[in-house]
Amino acid sequence: MSGIKELELLLSNMEPVLDERDFVFCSFPTLDWDQMRELNPIGIFHEKEGVTFILDTKNAVDKKIDYLSVYRLITLNVHSSLDAVGLTAAFSAKLAEKKY
């Protein structure tokens, strides 16, 4: 089954769920595969400056890893196409309206 491309259909079908955990972004100058497995990141960004892991905050605190801000994870639960355009922007705009 192919994903949904139409923005209005995506917005009307999504079922957002807020994850209970808090997450942080932690940067490292080089990638250490043993460290990666130990930290169990939910995401990894490889950039020319180094590697950034997205970690559960508890994991970062337990391992004494520095971070600047704490974030939450929202899963939209909608089968979107990789070719869909506008979902992130529309969702972000709604979040920005509710900023505390």
Side-chain angles (χ1 to χ4, degrees):
M1 177 174 150
S2 62
I4 301 168
K5 291 183 183 180
E6 298 79 17
L7 180 58
E8 292 303 318
L9 196 54
L10 285 167
L11 293 171
S12 65
N13 282 289
M14 73 177 178
E15 297 176 9
V17 175
L18 181 62
D19 196 293
E20 295 176 354
R21 300 168 292 172
D22 292 326
F23 294 93
V24 295
F25 288 72
C26 302
S27 296
F28 304 91
T30 58
L31 177 62
D32 179 334
W33 288 105
D34 291 331
Q35 184 179 32
M36 184 188 78
R37 282 189 293 275
E38 182 180 318
L39 295 174
N40 194 27
I42 66 161
I44 302 170
F45 295 93
H46 296 263
E47 301 173 295
K48 64 181 177 180
E49 304 87 0
V51 181
T52 299
F53 290 174
I54 304 172
L55 304 175
D56 183 302
T57 304
K58 183 181 179 331
N59 225 355
V61 169
D62 289 348
K63 301 292 184 189
K64 297 179 177 36
I65 298 171
D66 293 331
Y67 58 89
L68 296 176
S69 300
V70 178
Y71 301 90
R72 299 295 302 271
L73 169 68
I74 302 171
T75 302
L76 299 183
N77 289 323
V78 66
H79 187 167
S80 61
S81 167
L82 291 176
D83 296 325
V85 176
L87 179 60
T88 301
F91 194 76
S92 295
K94 286 297 181 187
L95 285 176
E97 289 174 9
K98 304 292 183 188
K99 187 175 180 182
Y100 297 92

